[in-house]
Amino acid sequence: ILFVAPEQLDDIDRFRFLLSLPVSLIVIDEAHCISTWGHDFRPSYRQIVQLIQKLEQINPDLKVLGLTATANHKTELDIKQQLTTTKAVQVQRATMDRPNIELTTLHVCGLAEKLALIAKYVADLAGDGLIYCATRENTEIVAEFCQKKNIRTIAYHAGIEAEQKRKLQTNFIKGEYKVIAATNALGMGIDKPDLRFIIHFDFPGSITAYYQEIGRVGRDGLAAKAVLLFDEQDIKIQQHFINSAQPQIE
């Protein structure tokens, strides 16, 4: 088994050795990233198509499996178009319903009320959980607040060195912390089947992102909770992200 990050395929000549091997299956995880309609498009995923085309010339029976939990119909069609080379793509879609996750939305006003609810919920909820924040600053605020409440908590965001982030994830999965307060830098890398709760300290950027993030809990099939703290002022944060992503007119 060879695991490859799509970004490594930007230098596809590095993988020319695969042409001399009996590769029978390529698995594309988070396949929605191959689509410009996907919520997390990554251009390097398009290099996978080139690799598939080269390998199919050697092995016409090559199988390709794409996996995603967050592709809407338009994204699905685009994935099919991207991955259709010499063979048609078959789609098997399961339900997106996760009946073991209890969803709760609480209307709040201001940082103090959010932190008070964090203290209440984390103390009452069993097991370990994630608190998603929209900014690095908020992860640090939440982590420091929880630590003062004697809750084993760490902050996780893109400003932390890669090696330290790996250690934090490993220690969290081992159960050394009850809570990890994170931005979406935690992304798709966390897989802890016994996570019992997710709290959104700030509301996420889209419904798709929300579904992706609450999908971290209850993967063992047991009861789990997802709590969204909704403050109308948080709209300004998401609007800032949208504006920052747009090119400036000169």
Side-chain angles (χ1 to χ4, degrees):
I1 299 176
L2 176 64
F3 292 93
V4 179
E7 285 72 19
Q8 291 180 294
L9 295 176
D10 289 342
D11 183 11
I12 201 166
D13 287 339
R14 293 174 55 194
F15 298 92
R16 190 171 296 277
F17 70 92
L18 290 175
L19 300 179
S20 62
L21 298 176
V23 179
S24 59
L25 174 66
I26 291 180
V27 179
I28 306 170
D29 195 18
E30 308 295 352
H32 55 267
C33 295
I34 205 171
S35 171
T36 52
W37 295 107
H39 70 93
D40 195 21
F41 171 58
R42 288 160 63 184
S44 294
Y45 264 69
R46 295 292 176 88
Q47 302 295 339
I48 299 173
V49 178
Q50 290 189 34
L51 179 61
I52 292 171
Q53 291 171 342
K54 291 179 182 295
L55 290 174
E56 280 186 333
Q57 294 174 8
I58 307 299
N59 178 15
D61 294 325
L62 177 72
K63 302 293 190 299
V64 179
L65 174 63
L67 304 170
T68 176
T70 53
N72 58 26
H73 182 62
K74 183 176 287 188
T75 303
E76 177 189 312
L77 292 176
D78 194 22
I79 293 172
K80 288 175 64 176
Q81 182 179 3
Q82 298 299 327
L83 295 183
T84 298
T85 52
T86 61
K87 296 183 287 293
V89 174
Q90 295 182 350
V91 176
Q92 293 187 352
R93 179 178 285 276
T95 178
M96 295 178 68
D97 186 25
R98 296 283 302 280
N100 63 312
I101 303 178
E102 177 185 325
L103 305 182
T104 301
T105 300
L106 300 174
H107 287 256
V108 298
C109 183
L111 180 64
E113 186 175 1
K114 283 186 177 183
L115 291 174
L117 286 170
I118 289 290
K120 175 183 182 301
Y121 266 90
V122 173
D124 292 344
L125 291 171
D128 302 335
L130 301 179
I131 300 178
Y132 271 110
C133 304
T135 66
R136 299 181 188 184
E137 180 183 10
N138 280 355
T139 66
E140 299 287 354
I141 290 173
V142 169
E144 182 179 357
F145 174 80
C146 289
Q147 289 164 5
K148 289 180 179 178
K149 297 292 183 180
N150 295 318
I151 300 168
R152 293 172 290 109
T153 307
I154 50 172
Y156 185 106
H157 52 71
I160 298 173
E161 293 292 331
E163 181 60 30
Q164 178 64 11
K165 284 194 288 190
R166 281 192 289 270
K167 289 181 180 179
L168 293 177
Q169 284 196 47
T170 299
N171 292 339
F172 178 62
I173 290 172
K174 287 180 178 178
E176 294 186 17
Y177 302 101
K178 179 179 176 66
V179 174
I180 182 168
T183 62
N184 58 10
L186 190 62
M188 307 167 190
I190 192 74
D191 186 11
K192 184 172 165 61
D194 60 346
L195 275 181
R196 298 272 65 87
F197 64 89
I198 291 266
I199 299 176
H200 277 89
F201 191 75
D202 309 297
F203 69 76
S206 68
I207 290 293
T208 304
Y210 175 70
Y211 181 81
Q212 179 91 17
E213 289 163 5
I214 66 171
R216 301 282 174 264
V217 295
R219 290 186 171 184
D220 55 6
L222 301 179
K225 294 181 181 292
V227 180
L228 171 63
L229 304 182
F230 178 76
D231 185 341
E232 291 185 359
Q233 294 302 310
D234 290 344
I235 295 174
K236 295 178 181 178
I237 298 176
Q238 297 302 331
Q239 190 63 53
H240 170 73
F241 291 153
I242 292 171
N243 293 339
S244 299
Q246 301 300 317
Q248 299 296 316
I249 299 176
E250 296 183 357

